[in-house]
Amino acid sequence: MNRKQRTEMLINGSPQLAAALANEIESRYPVALIEEPNHGLVMVKVRETAQKSLFYLGEVLVTECKVRVEGTVGIGLLKGDEPKKAYELAVIDAAYGAGLKETEAWTALLESDCEQLSARRQAQHKSVLRTKVDFETMDTD
């Protein structure tokens, strides 16, 4: 599981999982706060499909945090106003970056959470598809 997939799972998956993993590292290693959770704005770049040109759709509020664990810097960055979650993501990122032994057991937890998230997304997708109108079968007399 790469960094992007791991971060997506921690953001969209069970909120208790990220907190538990971060607490595990905090209880065993000193965590130095480099940059407290703070807010920022990030430009959202979108590709227009007809002409394939890029443009900026607007700005998104993000929360970011930086920590150091065992000499490795970790970054937590997510959409919205979630300082606690940004801190947890930064601690987890630093733990993976430092190659701490605790991270080996986390992969199975994250993959399990990934399967649950995938099932929830499929169920939501099916519920949306039930409301889709099929114009080919509509009677237009």
Side-chain angles (χ1 to χ4, degrees):
M1 181 174 285
N2 64 31
R3 186 181 196 185
K4 181 180 177 181
Q5 292 169 326
R6 180 177 66 237
T7 303
E8 181 184 359
M9 290 312 313
L10 291 167
I11 291 171
N12 297 321
S14 168
Q16 294 83 15
L17 180 61
L21 299 180
N23 287 337
E24 183 178 348
I25 294 302
E26 286 180 309
S27 68
R28 297 180 183 169
Y29 302 93
V31 177
L33 192 60
I34 297 172
E35 184 180 316
E36 289 195 26
N38 59 52
H39 301 102
L41 294 173
V42 175
M43 295 295 292
V44 177
K45 194 185 307 186
V46 177
R47 182 170 303 278
E48 191 270 323
T49 56
Q51 296 180 359
K52 307 269 190 254
S53 61
L54 292 173
F55 69 96
Y56 291 99
L57 184 63
E59 297 174 326
V60 171
L61 174 72
V62 296
T63 306
E64 68 176 316
C65 180
K66 292 181 186 171
V67 300
R68 181 177 290 117
V69 176
E70 294 293 296
T72 303
V73 175
I75 299 171
L77 177 70
L78 72 154
K79 178 178 68 172
D81 178 22
E82 298 191 55
K84 185 176 185 295
K85 185 82 142 196
Y87 174 78
E88 293 165 352
L89 290 173
V91 170
I92 294 166
D93 186 50
Y96 269 100
L100 301 179
K101 60 181 168 119
E102 289 81 1
T103 60
E104 295 170 10
W106 294 354
T107 304
L109 293 171
L110 289 170
E111 287 175 354
S112 169
D113 207 37
C114 179
E115 292 170 6
Q116 293 173 4
L117 179 62
S118 179
R120 283 196 308 265
R121 284 183 175 168
Q122 285 179 349
Q124 182 182 16
H125 184 67
K126 284 181 182 178
S127 71
V128 168
L129 285 179
R130 282 195 306 247
T131 65
K132 186 176 177 180
V133 176
D134 184 4
F135 289 99
E136 297 295 321
T137 61
M138 287 181 64
D139 188 17
T140 58
D141 287 338

